[in-house]
């Protein structure tokens, strides 16, 4: 999905208290933790705080994201957080190094789920935990409802699929963790309700980047996913939604925690 301004804004809003609240009660001081696909580190630094004085290692394939994570960790004096450029299917750690591994909106973008989970499992110690949280595109809803919004949500999901990703990963996690040999799997799900003026402005910016940005439109047309006319039609629906006093958007999330036997 790229690392443009709309994605930067989405990731900047995240934090461990909100986006890893399902995992935080299981964390203990002194644990060694991996945040795979850590992005700019906004969740990682909160996780690092929860396991102090334990080590937090964030890994991401994008150098730009790792640089941001390092700046954030330095600014907050998170001395126990270290960030590495790397691929989660080939991690630079020995077998069984971590007590717990975490990710948020990563497996949905990785084409080979099994390869990623096998490699993450390798670096977790026996008895250690994995926690994954991902979005569920086909459960997301927007109000006031309209066919235009249904079209827009499907369009974004198709774009993720065209990149080899899995837009419904949030509801496929238990099955994938089970398939990778994790046990004691505990799933959960929730909606993130966005309805304040600043939420609506944020959705406006991020949808603008994903659907109306000229390169994105050209790519979707090339892929045969849409036409100029459909995009123009949605713009009208979207502008009406933005100014509605009851506008809300509710992305759906699924997560699962499992244990390495
Ligand atoms: C949507 S961002 C999520 C970032 C962070 N977890 C968060 O929620 O704020 C997905 C991240 O996964 C990273 N990523 C995707 N595939 C990867 C791979 N094979 N190895 C390492 N990082 C990967 C991307 O570079 C991107 O920073």
């Amino acid at each position: 999905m790229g690392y443009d301004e709309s994605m930067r804004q989405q990731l900047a809003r995240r934090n461990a208290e909100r986006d890893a609240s399902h995992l935080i009660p299981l964390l203990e001081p002194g644990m060694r933790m991996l945040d795979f696909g850590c992005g700019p580190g906004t969740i990682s630094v909160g996780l690092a705080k929860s396991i102090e004085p334990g080590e937090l290692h964030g890994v991401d394939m994008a150098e730009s994201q790792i640089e941001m994570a390092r700046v954030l960790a330095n600014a907050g004096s998170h001395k126990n957080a270290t960030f590495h450029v790397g691929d989660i299917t080939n991690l630079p750690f020995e077998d069984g190094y971590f007590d717990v591994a975490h990710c948020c909106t990563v497996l949905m973008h990785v084409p080979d789920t099994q390869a990623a989970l096998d490699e993450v499992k390798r670096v977790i110690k026996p008895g250690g935990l994995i926690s994954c949280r991902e979005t569920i595109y086909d459960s997301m809803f927007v109000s006031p409802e309209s066919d235009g919004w249904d079209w827009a949500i499907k369009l974004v999901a198709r774009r993720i699929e065209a990149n080899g990703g899995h837009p419904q990963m949030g509801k496929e996690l238990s099955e994938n963790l089970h398939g990778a040999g994790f046990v004691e799997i505990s799933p959960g799900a929730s909606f993130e309700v966005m309805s304040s003026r600043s939420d609506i402005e944020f959705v406006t910016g991020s949808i603008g980047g994903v659907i109306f940005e000229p390169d994105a439109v050209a790519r979707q047309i090339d892929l045969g996913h849409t036409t100029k006319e459909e995009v123009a039609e949605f713009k009208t629906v979207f502008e009406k939604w933005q100014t509605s006093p009851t506008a809300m958007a509710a992305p759906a999330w699924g997560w699962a925690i499992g244990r390495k036997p």
Side-chain angles (χ1 to χ4, degrees), residues 3 7 11 14 37-40 42-43 59-62 65 86-88 104-106 109-110:
Y3 304 95
M7 181 56 82
L11 303 186
R14 295 192 183 159
C38 62
T42 48
I43 299 176
V59 174
D60 201 286
M61 71 201 291
Q65 303 300 294
D87 191 324
I88 64 176
C104 180
T105 54
V106 176
H109 298 298
V110 178

Side-chain angles (χ1 to χ4, degrees), residues 56 118 166 259:
L56 178 290
D118 286 348
H166 314 276
R259 190 178 293 283

